[in-house]
Structures are given as structure tokens and as C-alpha cells.
Amino acid sequence: TGILISNATIPHDVWTRAKFCLAPAGNGWGIRIGISAILNCVPLVAQPHVVQGFEDVLPFDAFSRTIGEGDIAALPQALRSVSAAEIASKRRALEAVRGAFLWLGGSADGTPGLAYNYTLLALCHRAMELHGRLRAGPRASCDGLAARLP
């Protein structure tokens, strides 16, 4: 019902009960969005002018909210006004992309770890963006990588 601010490690069960979890900038691209995704807590991305990891391959608008510095003062009221339906929708979207934030074997609930695959897809998109094509030839594309991901 309230807002928890802590300077200590927050247990995972607290994250899973929370509706929103702040994902501020850290030292580079941090793990807060990934932890939020894994624990089904809607990330509040507090880096509005920074492209997030996988932002080019995942529907961030569907599973997160972006906040700017000017939003902080009214944040408690703004979050309380978010409907249960919107939170449920964002959590469903978050569940659909959870694997993108998991490495290796995945999670205890059986969600496969697809972070490596999403990293390859993001790098493929970046290569296309920087060079206009892939070195594999003029007909090479990222479509094959994307087709194998949920």
C-alpha cells in the first residue's frame, strides 16, 4: 500500500509483491530491469533518455513505465492512479518477455533463459543499423534470429 525506499538489499519476496519497481540508472546498464522482469514487478525506467538493453527487440511500453526527473514529486499519486487492469496487462507482457532477461538454464518456473539469443538479435540489428547490411551477404537479415524468439 505504501512506498518502500531502502539502502539495503530487498528480499525477492518483497519485489514479487510490489506493483512497480524503480529501475534507475546505475553504473552503465544495470540489472534492475532484469530483476524486475524476473520477479514480475513492473519496472519504472528512470532513464528516459537512455536506450535500454533490448529496447530495439522488446516492447518496453507494454511491460514498463518510463519516468523522468520531473515526474518524481507526483510519482506516488501517479502510481496509485494506475488501474488494476493496466498493471495486470503490463505483468502479462512482462511474463511474455521474462526469458529475455534470464541467462543459461532459465528460472525455477521453467521459463527458458533467452538473454543470449536476444543479445545476438540486438547485435544483429545494430550491425544492420551501422553498416546497412550484414557481412554474410546482401540477402542476409536478422529475421531468422527473430523468428526463433517469443
Side-chain angles (χ1 to χ4, degrees):
T1 60
I3 295 176
L4 171 66
I5 299 174
S6 175
N7 64 351
T9 301
I10 298 173
H12 287 179
D13 67 311
V14 173
W15 288 65
T16 59
R17 290 191 316 265
K19 294 176 185 173
F20 298 98
C21 292
L22 186 63
N27 294 328
W29 185 74
I31 63 169
R32 293 176 187 104
I33 291 176
I35 291 172
S36 293
I38 293 165
L39 299 175
N40 206 27
C41 183
V42 177
L44 293 175
V45 180
Q47 315 173 60
H49 305 297
V50 175
V51 176
Q52 301 301 307
F54 304 143
E55 190 170 355
D56 62 329
V57 294
L58 294 177
F60 266 70
D61 289 345
F63 67 81
S64 69
R65 290 182 67 117
T66 300
I67 60 171
E69 193 174 318
D71 301 323
I72 300 298
L75 192 57
Q77 182 179 355
L79 294 180
R80 285 186 194 101
S81 71
V82 177
S83 71
E86 181 180 344
I87 293 169
S89 173
K90 289 195 178 292
R91 283 187 167 160
R92 281 190 302 276
L94 201 52
E95 288 173 17
V97 300
R98 180 177 293 132
F101 298 97
L102 292 168
W103 294 88
L104 299 175
S107 69
D109 71 358
T111 302
L114 298 171
Y116 177 79
N117 306 70
Y118 276 97
T119 300
L120 290 180
L121 180 59
L123 289 172
C124 184
H125 285 180
R126 182 66 52 94
M128 293 288 290
E129 187 178 296
L130 293 174
H131 302 290
R133 64 177 178 79
L134 296 175
R135 286 188 175 186
R139 290 191 284 200
S141 76
C142 304
D143 295 344
L145 290 169
R148 292 191 292 264
L149 295 171

